Amino acid sequence: MKIFTLKTASLLLLLTVFSCSKSDKKKESEGDSRYTPKNFVELKHPDWSKNATIYEVNVRQFTPEGTFKAFEAHLPRIKAMGIDIIWLMPIHPIGVEKRKGTLGSEYSVKDYFGVNPEFGNKDDFKHLVDKIHEMGMHVIIDWVANHSAWDNPLAKEHPDWYSKTPEGHFQPTPWYDWDDVIDFDYDKPELRKYMTSALVYWVKDFNIDGYRCDTAGFIPTDFWDNARAEMDAVKPVFMLAEWEARDLHKLAFDMTYSWTLFDKMTAVTRDKKSIDGLVEYMAHDVSTFPRDGYRMLFTDNHDMNSWNNNMDFNFGAGLEASMVLCGTINGMPLVYGGQEAGLARSLKFFDKDQIDWSKFPYTPLFTKLFELKHKNHALWNGSEGGVMIRIYNDKMKQVISFSREKDGDEVIPIVNYSDKEVTVKLDTKYQKGNYKELFSDADYTLKGDDVVTLAPWKYLVLVKQK
């Protein structure tokens, strides 16, 4: 027979009260939206972008004619390479006043509702858009919202839409040497309405699929948020920001740039630094970048246009390794028009500088990578793809190794990101199984403690067999 003392009863009562209180608090916190995790990215990506790749086109330099019609002849091979999004650099008429070079900058826009007559007319552009769509690809055009040409009619019709010097004169974007353009003032509601209507115009009347937005971070984010909503009301669009900022992903942009990755890769290949910075980039991508945001990954594009910017100079023997990284890490790979043909520099900006299409040394590599990206869920974009999981090895200063897994698909890139041959032991205890190497078609069985030898700048891309 058990005898309960007053002290024992009091203790039981306290325990009961504590247990109930703890349970109530748990229920209370679970029902409180303040503590519910929320996705940072609130916009909805077009479904077709989930495993997409992107290709930048400089119409002026692409063919001897430099026209929309002439460019169309290249579409079949671009499609066959595995490209999904055609990004056309600005298609609008170019300003004459204070023009740079012989042809001027395509980013000096004279008419936001017009087509550059050098490229063709509006019917030619519409035909190109329709052709791209017929082939199962999508098209975005470059949009220059921050500034216009000096001789854009808006400068005379609405001079108050522009920022001014202390003396009250038009000015190029402060702190930059963009002397051929003048800066807008986005404190003006009328300017915002005009620009939004122009953005909607090309979506509605020409059926384009979105925009690459020049210097997007120079424009207030709330402008882009609203413009995206107005375009999405016409059709779901895809938006690429020339910027590298988290806030743009929330409501406005599907994808931003990854200049940081470019810098970290060239630090190793060009400047002979360690891979520590590149590893840090990947760590931050996993831990701090919005899970459902897209990054654009590249080894070259027109924005890197400087005296020393060429792929041979920046990447040397590490170019293919860098292309493989861009094709397998988190993000969407870009092909800069001409790269597949061995173009080893950025094209001239203000003058004719035609691409040499006599050979295609990198087309097979891109084709293999993009074919895998399309069918293997592990490499899809944003939350549709797999998180990068680091695979530790005994040569951490030379070899980057990681896995990505999604919906039963798994890919393991192993890259000797150095100029020395390496024999490396991989800790693959969580990746055991049978794999096939993407480029050689060789079979690999990972047993948990595996050793591979890689020549300088060489790589393996292992695809798990089901």
Side-chain angles (χ1 to χ4, degrees), residues 81-350:
M81 189 167 59
I83 295 300
D84 304 291
I85 302 173
I86 302 290
W87 152 27
L88 301 174
M89 287 172 63
I91 65 165
H92 308 296
I94 296 170
V96 176
E97 186 177 347
K98 299 185 185 292
R99 171 177 287 190
K100 290 186 176 184
T102 57
L103 298 175
S105 167
E106 294 161 315
Y107 293 83
S108 177
V109 177
K110 190 174 182 179
D111 178 8
Y112 286 96
F113 288 87
V115 165
N116 186 345
E118 299 171 39
F119 300 163
N121 56 36
K122 287 187 175 181
D123 288 337
D124 296 329
F125 177 64
K126 183 66 164 61
H127 189 273
L128 174 59
V129 173
D130 291 343
K131 186 72 173 177
I132 291 170
H133 286 161
E134 287 171 12
M135 298 181 69
M137 295 183 287
H138 296 81
V139 57
I140 64 175
I141 65 174
D142 228 316
W143 193 258
V144 188
N146 180 66
H147 47 261
S148 79
W150 286 81
D151 46 354
N152 188 309
L154 295 177
K156 288 186 171 61
E157 296 168 4
H158 302 282
D160 57 312
W161 289 4
Y162 291 83
S163 68
K164 302 295 195 304
T165 65
E167 296 79 18
H169 304 309
F170 292 121
Q171 62 176 351
T173 304
W175 295 78
Y176 287 85
D177 62 349
W178 302 341
D179 300 333
D180 57 338
V181 297
I182 47 178
D183 210 49
F184 282 122
D185 179 3
Y186 273 80
D187 285 341
K188 306 297 183 181
E190 297 84 0
L191 169 64
R192 291 183 176 219
K193 183 177 181 180
Y194 172 88
M195 277 295 181
T196 304
S197 68
L199 287 163
V200 170
Y201 168 75
W202 294 99
V203 174
K204 185 176 181 181
D205 287 24
F206 292 84
N207 200 27
I208 68 166
D209 300 296
Y211 293 91
R212 177 267 187 190
C213 297
D214 187 63
T215 60
F218 287 12
I219 312 300
T221 303
D222 63 333
F223 166 78
W224 294 123
D225 292 346
N226 176 70
R228 171 66 183 256
E230 292 200 31
M231 286 183 281
D232 273 345
V234 177
K235 63 178 282 189
V237 294
F238 183 87
M239 298 291 284
L240 164 61
E242 189 210 8
W243 209 246
E244 195 170 14
R246 179 186 177 93
D247 62 324
L248 293 175
H249 285 276
K250 191 176 185 68
L251 294 169
F253 287 95
D254 301 272
M255 187 159 70
T256 54
Y257 272 48
S258 187
W259 288 305
T260 300
L261 175 64
F262 178 90
D263 291 342
K264 299 304 183 184
M265 290 190 298
T266 57
V268 182
T269 56
R270 182 187 65 195
D271 303 331
K272 311 305 179 186
K273 294 184 179 180
S274 76
I275 67 172
D276 291 350
L278 183 54
V279 171
E280 182 182 18
Y281 165 85
M282 296 173 75
H284 279 262
D285 185 84
V286 170
S287 300
T288 68
F289 189 72
R291 178 74 179 94
D292 203 25
Y294 299 173
R295 291 191 200 252
M296 187 174 73
L297 315 174
F298 49 85
T299 54
D300 207 359
N301 72 87
H302 81 270
D303 295 307
M304 314 312 298
N305 198 358
S306 62
W307 70 270
N308 68 354
N309 185 58
N310 61 75
M311 290 184 286
D312 288 341
F313 180 86
N314 286 327
F315 294 96
L319 177 58
E320 286 194 16
S322 302
M323 290 174 170
V324 168
L325 276 178
C326 289
T328 56
I329 66 176
N330 180 43
M332 184 187 297
L334 165 76
V335 178
Y336 175 53
Q339 265 192 296
E340 72 273 38
L343 179 69
R345 57 186 169 77
S346 287
L347 297 164
K348 290 180 181 178
F349 219 62
F350 310 111

Side-chain angles (χ1 to χ4, degrees), residues 26-56:
K26 182 180 179 182
K27 290 180 180 179
E28 181 181 328
S29 64
E30 287 177 347
D32 192 331
S33 62
R34 293 178 299 171
Y35 308 110
T36 302
K38 298 178 180 64
N39 292 327
F40 181 80
V41 177
E42 296 181 10
L43 61 80
K44 180 175 173 54
H45 301 296
D47 185 66
W48 52 261
S49 71
K50 64 188 176 187
N51 58 350
T53 60
I54 186 168
Y55 187 97
E56 180 183 4

Side-chain angles (χ1 to χ4, degrees), residues 286 291 328-330 372-373 375-391 401-413 430-435 446 461-466:
V286 170
R291 178 74 179 94
T328 56
I329 66 176
N330 180 43
L372 180 65
K373 185 177 182 70
K375 69 184 181 181
N376 194 296
H377 290 209
L379 299 186
W380 286 11
N381 301 319
S383 60
E384 296 283 350
V387 175
M388 296 184 294
I389 305 296
R390 191 175 193 183
I391 295 177
S401 50
F402 62 97
S403 69
R404 297 182 67 189
E405 187 278 329
K406 183 76 172 184
D407 297 334
D409 289 336
E410 186 169 11
V411 176
I412 299 177
Y430 299 116
Q431 290 84 27
K432 294 178 182 179
N434 297 318
Y435 294 79
L446 299 185
V461 176
L462 305 183
V463 182
K464 192 163 190 177
Q465 301 302 289
K466 298 180 181 179

